[in-house]
């Protein structure tokens, strides 16, 4: 889905020229990509998820701002999996410790630059802006394309705020999100128990069953969490509620804070409800709860390459062993049915992406939406 014209290579890209509602501002355009520099690589993007932060970035309410190119705008998307298709002449000859050392055509790489612009087919970047990851037999391209944001966030939040011991409880909101599912499975692998809060829905039993199968200890709706009998039950747990994780905001955050054990941190990492937080002062005075914030982007910026790769390799091994399953994917194929000309191709793709964004924004989808630029991915197993 890339084309060559007058010696230039074009990437088909989802772009925006102004901040605003994604359904209104996104366009699909053919964007000329930069020539390959001696220290660069050209990559073909295979798949890229739609994460809440991508939407926030398009809306202009995310602190990581993209670069706007004249006549094109900014390319949307921050996460994804790419394959190396060409190497700059110096890259193949690099010493083992320099950026981009050891990269080969065909390698899987993860974009590693803020606001990379992953919702496109091709990119020419400096070799230091991608990171090679090992290929494992049971790690699908879709699982690899969604590694750096959600499973990594779950991993860090469980490791970095308190030392969790086997038998401890972690309470979390939006437990059916991609982060939430990773939290459940990592906790299961590490012997930690989870109290999982979800929003009520028609098919609640099915969702409770799904999360329990993943390893959830308890699954409750936010309504149940407000019931006196449930609160009384949670006071009698046979282990401390040592950590709270919240990406919703609003009333449910207050209820989660009430369940925490003395001195436990409540880590805020998202604001899906877009509602403000209110905590009774008594929770600070008598329980000494610690309200903290977490941002994966900040962690990445503070770590060296070895530390990041150690975490990713551990996560990839868990995925390979079947201990860390991806959420079910809603795949948005980049291919469009045959149409008369290039403008129609772009128009059809644009409509398809806008429709997907509208469905995603409505909530209750229980799926991770992902753009599949590589047609081979359409035959992939779509979960696990
Ligand atoms: N701070 C960081 O570094 C960091 C990193 C990764 C992710 N995050 C945040 O983590 C959260 C989950 O991301 P994800 O990619 O895992 O999400 P996801 O898989 O796309 O799932 C979205 C989740 O949000 C819930 N949700 C949607 N609208 C909601 C609303 N109005 N009120 C309450 N819950 C709502 C959904 O529940 P329903 O099924 O009930 O709709 C679902 O659980 C987001 O807030 C994201 O920004 C933060």
């Amino acid at each position: 889905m890339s084309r060559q014209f007058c010696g230039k290579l074009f990437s088909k890209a989802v772009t925006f020229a102004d901040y605003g509602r994604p359904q209104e501002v996104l366009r699909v355009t053919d964007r000329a990509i930069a020539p390959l520099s001696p220290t660069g690589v050209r990559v073909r993007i295979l798949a890229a998820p739609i994460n809440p932060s991508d939407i926030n970035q398009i809306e202009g309410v995310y602190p990581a701002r993209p670069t706007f190119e004249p006549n094109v705008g900014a390319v949307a998307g921050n996460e994804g999996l790419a394959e190396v298709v060409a190497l700059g002449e110096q890259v193949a000859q690099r010493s083992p410790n320099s950026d981009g050392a050891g990269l080969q055509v065909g390698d899987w790489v993860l974009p590693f630059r803020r606001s990379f612009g992953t919702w496109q087919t091709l990119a020419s970047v400096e070799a230091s802006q991608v990171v090679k990851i090992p290929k494992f037999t049971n790690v699908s391209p879709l699982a690899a394309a969604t590694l750096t944001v959600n499973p990594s966030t779950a991993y860090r939040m469980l490791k970095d705020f308190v030392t969790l011991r086997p038998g401890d409880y972690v309470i979390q909101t939006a437990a059916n999100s991609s982060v939430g599912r990773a939290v459940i499975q990592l906790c299961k692998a590490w012997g930690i128990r989870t109290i999982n809060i979800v929003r009520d829905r028609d098919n609640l039993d099915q969702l409770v069953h799904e999360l329990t199968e993943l390893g959830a200890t308890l699954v409750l709706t936010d309504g149940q969490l407000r019931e006196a009998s449930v609160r009384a039950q949670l006071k009698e747990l046979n282990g401390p509620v040592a950590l709270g994780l919240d990406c919703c905001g609003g009333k449910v955050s207050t209820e989660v804070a009430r369940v925490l054990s003395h001195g436990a941190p409540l880590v805020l990492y998202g604001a899906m409800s877009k509602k403000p937080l209110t905590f009774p002062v008594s929770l600070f005075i008598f329980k000494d709860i610690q309200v903290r914030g977490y941002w994966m982007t900040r962690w990445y910026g503070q770590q060296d390459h070895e530390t990041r790769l150690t975490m990713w390799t551990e996560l990839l091994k868990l995925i390979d062993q079947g201990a860390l399953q991806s959420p079910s994917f809603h795949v948005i194929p980049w291919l469009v049915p045959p149409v008369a000309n290039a403008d129609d191709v772009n128009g059809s793709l644009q409509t398809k992406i806008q429709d997907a964004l509208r469905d995603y924004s409505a909530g209750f989808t229980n799926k991770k939406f992902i753009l599949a630029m590589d047609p081979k991915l359409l035959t992939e197993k779509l979960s696990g």
Side-chain angles (χ1 to χ4, degrees), residues 194-338:
T194 51
I195 306 164
N196 299 282
I197 314 303
V198 295
R199 295 197 288 179
D200 202 359
R201 66 200 65 222
D202 288 343
N203 54 354
L204 179 66
D205 289 349
Q206 191 190 320
L207 180 59
V208 172
H209 176 73
E210 240 179 75
L211 299 185
T212 309
E213 287 284 293
L214 287 182
T217 316
L218 276 175
V219 183
L220 300 167
T221 64
D222 42 4
Q224 287 170 328
L225 190 60
R226 286 194 294 273
E227 287 172 16
S229 60
V230 172
R231 280 208 223 160
Q233 244 181 308
L234 293 175
K235 280 196 179 133
E236 300 303 317
L237 292 172
N238 55 353
V241 184
L243 176 67
L245 304 174
D246 175 41
C247 69
C248 286
K251 279 187 189 155
V252 73
S253 313
T254 319
E255 300 307 327
V256 163
R258 288 187 208 280
V259 175
L260 291 174
S261 294
H262 191 274
L266 172 64
V267 180
L268 307 172
Y269 69 99
M272 292 308 291
S273 77
K274 298 194 162 79
K275 301 251 168 63
L277 299 166
T278 318
F279 296 116
V281 175
S282 58
L283 285 179
F284 293 91
I285 299 175
F286 303 116
K287 272 192 153 182
D288 195 21
I289 60 158
Q290 313 286 317
V291 180
R292 305 283 305 275
Y294 182 74
W295 194 28
M296 195 69 227
T297 306
R298 182 171 54 231
W299 185 88
Y300 281 133
Q302 290 166 344
Q303 303 303 318
D304 60 23
H305 176 63
E306 285 312 308
T307 315
R308 296 177 205 128
L309 197 60
T310 302
M311 175 181 70
W312 289 335
T313 307
E314 191 178 336
L315 289 168
L316 287 166
K317 282 184 184 162
L318 287 168
I319 298 171
D320 191 47
Q321 292 156 7
L324 182 55
Q325 295 174 26
S326 303
S328 295
F329 288 108
H330 174 80
V331 176
I332 303 143
W334 201 261
L335 283 175
V336 289

Side-chain angles (χ1 to χ4, degrees), residues 82 113 150 171 243:
R113 183 187 69 190
N150 292 327
I171 183 166
L243 176 67

